[in-house]
Amino acid sequence: MKVIVSKDYDEMSKKAADFVISNIEEKPQIKFGLATGSTPIGLYENLAKASKDGEISFKYAKSVNLDEYIGIDKDNDQSYQYFMNENLFNKVDFKEGATHLPYAPEADEKYTKDYDELLDEFGQRDIQILGLGPNGHLAFNEPAEKLNQRTSIVELSQETIDANSRFFESADDVPKYAISMGMADVFNAKTLIVLASGKGKHEVVRRILEEDTIYPDFPASFLHLHPNVYLFVDEDAMNG
């Protein structure tokens, strides 16, 4: 695991974006795995600026996303589809049909099979962008006695619901279920870019860097199994 420490969030976002930009320049037909949440917003802003300035293009790129809330309309301003549209897709030149998110209007396993088929056809990603949940979850693979390999319907932990409630009027409005890539699919990328910013992520970062044990009640520990991980952190996340 390669650890890149920046003084603050803006510098971390710029360094991560520069890394992604160099990969796009090297391979314009790059295949991405994308993440939502507040942490990658700065990265996406830098990529959008580079695209606007003509430094890079996404017209040959393709992407898949990790997860989505269940039972929330794609046009809802708290859906991950809306998030991706606002923060990246509407600002760069992805071709129509080149970006994909899981979707499940209800908690039915048939939607997980649909996304598994899409992921199988999509193939291995060149880069997968990941954030870190405060409890160490990756995508919506929550700490548990066992973890799913493929796309699944997951019940969100209270800790995750509480963390996401800042985006809703109240915690009661946060969806309780999500559709998410499983661990095998999360890791099906040549390179993982993991972003962590702020004091609230310090404990997760500390455990990743100091503990060697792999266990399902701390999904982030599985990062040690991937051969090519870049962990971008700011000083608050690194030092607490």
Side-chain angles (χ1 to χ4, degrees):
M1 183 181 297
K2 303 167 187 69
V3 183
I4 300 92
V5 182
S6 300
K7 69 179 189 312
D8 56 24
Y9 174 78
D10 288 342
E11 182 179 287
M12 181 198 76
S13 299
K14 181 67 165 59
K15 285 184 178 180
D18 288 344
F19 182 85
V20 173
I21 289 167
S22 68
N23 278 265
I24 297 173
E25 290 173 336
E26 183 176 332
K27 184 180 181 181
Q29 69 276 26
I30 192 167
K31 293 196 286 188
F32 285 111
L34 301 176
T36 54
S38 57
T39 308
I41 289 176
L43 165 62
Y44 295 153
E45 287 177 346
N46 279 279
L47 294 179
K49 182 179 185 303
S51 177
K52 181 180 179 181
D53 292 345
E55 185 178 349
I56 55 171
S57 172
F58 289 81
K59 65 181 178 181
Y60 300 115
K62 298 190 295 184
S63 73
V64 289
N65 263 69
L66 293 167
D67 44 29
E68 176 62 283
Y69 289 124
I70 287 177
I72 191 168
D73 189 82
K74 293 180 180 181
D75 294 328
N76 187 300
D77 64 6
Q78 294 305 323
S79 75
Y80 289 164
Q81 179 70 66
Y82 186 95
F83 174 97
M84 292 306 306
N85 290 343
E86 290 295 301
N87 288 288
L88 186 63
F89 295 162
N90 292 346
K91 297 179 178 181
V92 300
D93 56 344
F94 275 114
K95 288 184 177 178
E96 185 175 354
T99 63
H100 310 276
L101 281 83
Y103 178 66
E106 56 188 352
D108 191 316
E109 293 294 334
K110 69 181 181 181
Y111 299 107
T112 69
K113 302 293 188 295
D114 290 343
Y115 206 55
D116 282 343
E117 290 178 7
L118 186 149
L119 292 174
D120 289 342
E121 183 177 348
F122 191 88
Q124 186 182 42
R125 280 143 273 151
D126 296 291
I127 287 177
Q128 174 65 59
I129 295 166
L130 293 168
L132 291 173
N135 60 3
H137 73 240
L138 294 177
F140 273 130
N141 294 288
E142 299 278 15
E145 292 184 0
K146 54 186 179 180
L147 299 171
N148 293 303
Q149 292 190 55
R150 303 301 312 270
T151 308
S152 59
I153 304 296
V154 293
E155 183 175 5
L156 304 186
S157 70
Q158 190 59 50
E159 189 172 3
T160 297
I161 291 170
D162 292 343
N164 290 349
S165 65
R166 68 187 187 277
F167 302 116
F168 293 81
E169 289 188 11
S170 74
D172 292 337
D173 295 327
V174 183
K176 305 303 187 289
Y177 292 88
I179 180 171
S180 175
M181 280 189 200
M183 294 294 287
D185 289 317
V186 169
F187 279 63
N188 188 21
K190 295 175 184 176
T191 299
L192 303 182
I193 294 177
V194 185
L195 307 171
S197 172
K199 295 180 183 297
K201 299 296 176 68
H202 170 64
E203 181 61 17
V204 177
V205 171
R206 183 197 67 77
R207 291 184 66 185
I208 291 171
L209 297 180
E210 295 182 5
E211 298 178 12
D212 294 329
T213 307
I214 308 299
Y215 39 93
D217 62 358
F218 186 55
S221 65
F222 281 73
L223 291 169
H224 291 293
L225 299 178
H226 195 282
N228 199 31
V229 179
Y230 289 79
L231 176 60
F232 289 85
V233 298
D234 61 13
E235 289 182 357
D236 283 344
M238 188 69 180
N239 302 318

